[in-house]
Amino acid sequence: MTLSTSAAFTRRTLLGTSLGVASAGVLAACGASGSSPKGGSAPRTISLQLFGANSDLIDWLDKTALPAFKAQSGASVEVRQTDWGSSFQKMLTGAASGTLADVTMMGQVQTAALAAKGAFLSLDDYVKSWADTTSFYPAMLKNGQYNGHQYAIPFIADTRTAYYRADLLKQAGVSSSELPKDWTGYLALAQELKSKTSLAAPAFWGADNSVGLMQAFSQLLYQAGGSYFGPAGKASLASDQGITALNYMMSFFQQGLANPGIIYNGSGATPLTTGQAAMTFTGYSAVQNALQFNKPKAADIIAGLPLSGPSGGQPATIAWINKFGISAKTKNPDLAWQLLTFLVSKDNIKKLDQYLGGLSVRADLNSTDYLPNVTSTMAAASKYAGALPQNPNMIDIQQKVNISMQQAIRGQGTAKQILSALDSTIDTINQAS
Amino acid sequence: MVTRTETPPATGRWIKPSRRPRMLRAQRRAAVGLASPAFIVIGIVAVIPLLAAIALSLTDYNMINPPRWVGLRNYVAILTTGLFWTTVQNTLAFAVGQIAIGLVMAMGVSVLFNRRIHGGAGFRTLIYLPQAASYVAVALVWNLLLDPFAGPLDKMIRALGGSRIYFLSDSSTAMLSIIAMSIWHNLGYFVLLLLAGLQSVPLELIEAAKVDGAGSFRRFIHVTIPSMREVLVFVVVTWFLWGLQMFTQAYVMTGGGPVNATRTVVYLMYDEAFTSLHIGSASAVAVMLFALVVGSSLALRVILRGRGD
């Protein structure tokens, strides 16, 4: 009897204790997850999600920027970081589960995709009374809008233009001051490089395991005067301009001036850094890549202005603009806005640009002295930069465009066939959403 | 025919027949109690997600806004796109290719290890090591190995007079390259299983076949292989099912390209979920993959087991 009572007591005690511990743990976890201060003296904490941050950036945040923010606001910042490759999943699952960081970094095409689903807070009221609004390039600031509302503030522009290896151009007898200005000149340079150097395929069109070919094609499309969508919102890549742009890109592969087998796998030296190619459409990351993997050649990475298309006219290109937004479910929107504006302030944005490898989105940062190896031409390219359409399906669409470009460079169809099929796919995607 | 008698056990206490149902009930309760944690865990991590996937596959859902019922529309949309069938074809090509080449290699290596060779334990460890590394790490290393300009394999081929091969950027070699990498990664695990199977073959059977005049090849085909059928069935089914779920290798090495040449069913599911934001369609792909896995598993077991019975 005694034994049985004792056993029952032990089971109950064990069960009760386990439940108690579990409940205490859950309550403690719930308490810890709230970023909103309940009492006046409770420490204020806010979360910041970064993508692709390197150790230099994290060091600067830990040792300089975030202590300064704490001194200014009294709030601590919890930094979360992951790579760009899984950024969208991270944001999506965060938004779905209500755990999206208060302030989140986001890429070019992610703004509209998530803003359309209500994941981000509209910043319209904050922006109205923000003194810094006029310090940003209007086009860059506009890139953070969706459906007429401001959802994100830009902090870095990866402006694309034509980049070259000066030492390889020199081998072909081409001076760095005679860089091509239009498509005809660009093609002629590739032909000259092929005939006068040992380069088997002097031009690289950005083929990678991501969307590099799409990025190159988009620049050509804009240079040809084309656009992704027509006035009625239908895909218009198979327009005369689109076909001209794709035919131009395909001609490099048909003439053996570019090699469809060369694919940048996303890590390590790019073909421009290794010297497999002497000309490509890229951004400031080309310089950073050379500084990292082939430092002696970093000074040979030079940029020309964006090209103008077949009918001449203004040069055109695209910038990939990264931004910060605020979670729609943040418990402390004012503090989140305070952190956001702190990060994009004139001094801090310089550091972000420097560590993340991009150009400024602020018009009041004309000098690029703070960025290593940036020439005036690289910075000047921003003047001609447009952006991809703010379509909520652009993440999906850009993948489809990239796959079609993979077909095109391998000669699996004519430009018209490939782009017509692509238009149809894009329209289906847009209709389904 | 078995008859039941109320015979007391040779040792121990006599249990009265009237007390037996009570004892059986207690045993049953204990069995249920002991097994229930496992059932609960399986329910939480397998059954509930499967039921949730089936339910979600019948909705339009983007993870942020509430799901909207669409019936079988996701299935119709997926089944009527050419891409789905391309991914099925790629997945089967990978699974079959991997097992066709891998099984022969694993069997060859295990036969070799089954003999007394100098440093056998060291070789076994070496061949098992890749299995201990993650697919991502192995894929990154193979990316370097297969680099058409800087990779050691290219240097070797060119030194032997061959021409440059674009392993990962040519549609005709990309999947083969991923198969090669996957076999290298998994070989050790299956070699160990097959080795255990080989070592369990009764020696007297081999000896009897020898006495009957069977050569080593015939002994291997007619005695060894049938004797380790259970292990072989396990290896074939497991390896094939792993193959049906291939994703990481393609994601890291080729991004599903070139031109969808390495895009698999799981890759399509990932794209539908995290690129297109169609969780409903992704769930429909997941349900169809589940059906493919279960169907293949049952078919393989029937084919492989039935042949010897």
Side-chain angles (χ1 to χ4, degrees):
Chain A
M1 181 71 186
T2 312
L3 188 68
S4 154
T5 311
S6 164
F9 173 75
T10 306
R11 279 198 299 270
R12 276 182 203 141
T13 308
L14 184 68
L15 190 65
T17 310
S18 308
L19 280 172
V21 169
S23 311
V26 169
L27 287 173
C30 290
S33 68
S35 57
S36 170
K38 298 288 177 199
S41 61
R44 297 201 303 164
T45 304
I46 194 160
S47 50
L48 169 67
Q49 174 72 60
L50 303 175
F51 297 114
N54 52 31
S55 55
D56 290 341
L57 174 60
I58 296 299
D59 253 19
W60 171 72
L61 283 170
D62 278 349
K63 292 178 185 158
T64 312
L66 299 183
F69 179 70
K70 189 169 186 178
Q72 191 186 92
S73 65
S76 303
V77 179
E78 173 211 331
V79 178
R80 304 174 191 172
Q81 46 171 325
T82 187
D83 60 303
W84 272 114
S86 55
S87 60
F88 193 59
Q89 294 98 294
K90 189 88 183 165
M91 280 192 271
L92 185 64
T93 49
S97 60
T99 57
L100 189 65
D102 297 291
V103 177
T104 300
M105 195 185 260
M106 69 187 88
Q108 166 75 29
V109 295
Q110 294 167 341
T111 315
L114 288 167
K117 292 171 178 60
F120 294 120
L121 193 71
S122 165
L123 306 177
D124 291 348
D125 291 339
Y126 289 113
V127 170
K128 265 181 214 161
S129 54
W130 188 35
D132 269 15
T133 312
T134 50
S135 305
F136 285 77
Y137 289 116
M140 304 281 183
L141 201 58
K142 198 178 170 197
N143 196 258
Q145 293 179 1
Y146 174 69
N147 258 358
H149 298 286
Q150 192 81 36
Y151 285 101
I153 304 295
F155 66 91
I156 193 170
D158 177 14
T159 306
R160 303 300 171 100
T161 186
Y163 277 68
Y164 307 89
R165 272 279 296 263
D167 55 329
L168 298 173
L169 296 191
K170 201 173 169 187
Q171 281 177 25
V174 177
S175 159
S176 303
S177 57
E178 299 164 3
L179 297 176
K181 292 184 171 59
D182 54 24
W183 285 10
T184 313
Y186 196 71
L187 182 65
L189 175 63
Q191 287 163 338
E192 205 166 342
L193 280 164
K194 188 170 168 86
S195 64
K196 293 184 180 168
T197 67
S198 59
L199 287 169
F204 176 63
W205 284 96
D208 57 15
N209 289 340
S210 182
V211 291
L213 278 172
M214 183 280 302
Q215 294 175 336
F217 169 73
S218 299
Q219 289 168 69
L220 292 176
L221 178 72
Y222 285 24
Q223 286 162 6
S227 61
Y228 267 81
F229 300 104
K234 290 258 184 196
S236 58
L237 296 178
S239 61
D240 289 345
Q241 294 89 341
I243 291 167
T244 306
L246 187 53
N247 272 328
Y248 180 71
M249 186 159 85
M250 287 166 76
S251 69
F252 279 74
F253 293 89
Q254 286 155 359
Q255 295 178 40
L257 303 170
N259 182 345
I262 298 179
I263 291 184
Y264 175 52
N265 67 22
S267 58
T270 61
L272 196 68
T273 297
T274 60
Q276 279 165 18
M279 51 201 289
T280 187
F281 281 11
T282 185
Y284 173 61
S285 60
V287 176
Q288 281 206 318
N289 189 271
L291 283 168
Q292 191 179 354
F293 296 106
N294 194 1
K295 206 166 184 179
K297 294 291 174 193
D300 285 318
I301 306 284
I302 56 170
L305 280 180
L307 305 178
S308 53
S311 51
Q314 275 282 91
T317 188
I318 282 187
W320 299 84
I321 301 155
N322 293 346
K323 290 149 267 186
F324 283 119
I326 296 177
S327 165
K329 289 184 180 163
T330 181
K331 290 175 182 161
N332 202 335
D334 292 344
L335 185 59
W337 174 251
Q338 202 179 340
L339 175 61
L340 194 160
T341 49
F342 172 80
L343 291 170
V344 300
S345 64
K346 190 174 174 181
D347 287 336
N348 288 335
I349 221 167
K350 277 186 188 176
K351 291 287 180 188
L352 289 174
D353 293 348
Q354 184 184 332
Y355 295 133
L356 292 169
L359 302 174
S360 177
V361 293
R362 290 183 67 118
D364 57 358
L365 269 175
N366 292 324
S367 161
T368 52
D369 295 346
Y370 60 95
L371 295 170
N373 291 44
V374 165
T375 62
S376 56
T377 325
M378 291 177 196
S382 291
K383 196 163 65 175
Y384 306 102
L388 284 183
Q390 288 291 55
N391 180 308
N393 301 312
M394 212 57 209
I395 294 178
D396 197 5
I397 291 169
Q398 66 176 5
Q399 298 277 3
K400 301 290 190 287
V401 175
N402 200 66
I403 292 169
S404 296
M405 295 304 113
Q406 290 177 350
Q407 283 182 292
I409 64 171
R410 288 172 175 80
Q412 296 175 4
T414 65
K416 190 170 183 178
Q417 285 167 343
I418 289 167
L419 292 175
S420 299
L422 188 54
D423 277 350
S424 162
T425 305
I426 293 171
D427 287 339
T428 307
I429 291 170
N430 282 335
Q431 280 159 17
S433 67
Chain B
M1 187 177 163
V2 179
T3 53
R4 300 182 67 179
T5 55
E6 298 298 337
T7 314
T11 55
R13 209 155 52 88
W14 167 261
I15 301 166
K16 284 183 182 174
S18 60
R19 289 187 63 190
R20 293 194 71 196
R22 203 172 145 195
M23 200 178 131
L24 278 173
R25 275 203 300 276
Q27 281 177 342
R28 277 198 203 108
R29 272 203 299 273
V32 169
L34 289 169
S36 55
F39 281 121
I40 291 168
V41 171
I42 291 169
I44 291 170
V45 302
V47 180
I48 294 175
L50 177 65
L51 294 176
I54 294 171
L56 283 175
S57 71
L58 304 171
T59 67
D60 177 14
Y61 180 47
N62 61 26
M63 283 178 87
I64 297 175
N65 306 119
R68 193 169 53 87
W69 176 265
V70 293
L72 292 174
R73 203 185 303 165
N74 289 328
Y75 288 92
V76 174
I78 292 286
L79 289 169
T80 50
T81 56
L83 183 59
F84 174 71
W85 296 107
T86 304
T87 61
V88 169
Q89 203 177 322
N90 291 342
T91 306
L92 289 174
F94 173 79
V96 172
Q98 181 183 226
I99 206 149
I101 305 167
L103 191 61
V104 173
M105 286 178 70
M107 187 56 100
V109 174
S110 55
V111 166
L112 200 69
F113 282 167
N114 198 32
R115 298 172 181 199
R116 287 186 186 280
I117 54 167
H118 189 66
F123 283 126
R124 279 198 294 275
T125 309
L126 266 182
I127 209 155
Y128 187 78
L129 271 181
Q131 178 77 28
S134 79
Y135 260 129
V136 174
V138 173
L140 288 172
V141 170
W142 272 68
N143 264 352
L144 297 175
L145 186 75
L146 300 173
D147 188 293
F149 290 92
L153 209 56
D154 173 70
K155 287 192 168 53
M156 209 165 72
I157 291 168
R158 288 166 72 78
L160 292 170
S163 53
R164 179 163 282 140
I165 300 174
Y166 296 95
F167 292 100
L168 297 172
S169 51
D170 186 327
S171 304
S172 60
T173 52
M175 186 58 96
L176 278 173
S177 305
I178 293 180
I179 288 175
M181 171 268 185
S182 305
I183 290 174
W184 183 79
H185 183 261
N186 295 322
L187 194 71
Y189 175 71
F190 291 109
V191 162
L192 289 189
L193 289 176
L194 291 173
L195 189 58
L198 277 175
Q199 288 173 350
S200 68
V201 176
L203 277 176
E204 54 270 31
L205 284 182
I206 307 270
E207 292 300 329
K210 235 186 232 180
V211 170
D212 286 345
S216 56
F217 181 73
R218 290 190 70 185
R219 283 202 305 275
F220 183 73
I221 297 295
H222 295 294
V223 179
T224 308
I225 297 275
S227 300
M228 54 187 294
R229 198 172 63 238
E230 291 298 322
V231 176
L232 276 171
V233 169
F234 178 79
V235 168
V236 170
V237 171
T238 309
W239 213 343
F240 186 76
L241 298 188
W242 284 8
L244 292 183
Q245 295 165 62
M246 194 270 271
F247 168 72
T248 313
Q249 302 94 305
Y251 184 78
V252 178
M253 294 173 79
T254 60
V259 200
N260 296 322
T262 56
R263 202 170 296 271
T264 58
V265 176
V266 179
Y267 209 127
L268 178 69
M269 186 169 77
Y270 170 85
D271 275 346
E272 284 294 323
F274 295 112
T275 305
S276 308
L277 286 186
H278 294 152
I279 303 297
S281 299
S283 302
V285 177
V287 171
M288 287 190 276
L289 178 66
F290 175 73
L292 182 66
V293 166
V294 172
S296 308
S297 168
L298 291 175
L300 277 172
R301 289 175 80 88
V302 167
I303 293 166
L304 296 172
R305 283 241 168 89
R307 189 169 289 170
D309 291 339

